Amino acid sequence: MDLADIVSVCIFCRTQRTALGLLGLIMLLPHYRYLTILLASAVACVGLNASAEHLFLQFKRMSLSWTYTGLAMAALLIMCLQLIAIFEKDKKQQPKNQALPAD
């Protein structure tokens, strides 16, 4: 998107795209239970914070153009869904509690 000049050079936009890319990469890599959750949570916090700040800045200036506000909302939604998918992946890989044999 940067090379095609679709989006402007904005620190919020770059942070959001970086967080989206890193979360996507985390989803593709092998899952290590606590390390993956910790890393994904840290990246998502940075990305969600940048996205929320970007939205609040747009609302403050009352310049609600679809390009910036829509992309910021989409980034916010996609990061939330990626984080949910990573947490659900962790839930599926947890061992089931097996019943102990009765004595």
Side-chain angles (χ1 to χ4, degrees), residues 47-81:
L48 291 171
N49 185 28
S51 186
E53 283 185 28
H54 194 188
L55 281 172
F56 285 136
L57 240 129
Q58 294 296 322
F59 292 148
K60 181 180 174 184
R61 286 191 267 166
M62 294 303 283
S63 60
L64 302 175
S65 66
W66 169 248
T67 306
Y68 299 114
T69 308
L71 288 175
M73 285 183 188
L76 191 68
L77 177 68
I78 292 170
M79 277 186 272
C80 288
L81 293 175

Side-chain angles (χ1 to χ4, degrees), residues 1-2 7-8 10-24 43-58 67-79 82:
M1 292 177 83
D2 278 332
V7 293
S8 66
C10 166
I11 191 67
F12 293 117
C13 299
R14 285 186 174 178
T15 306
Q16 292 165 18
R17 288 192 302 270
T18 303
L20 285 170
L22 287 175
L23 284 172
V43 170
C45 282
V46 170
L48 291 171
N49 185 28
S51 186
E53 283 185 28
H54 194 188
L55 281 172
F56 285 136
L57 240 129
Q58 294 296 322
T67 306
Y68 299 114
T69 308
L71 288 175
M73 285 183 188
L76 191 68
L77 177 68
I78 292 170
M79 277 186 272
Q82 283 180 322

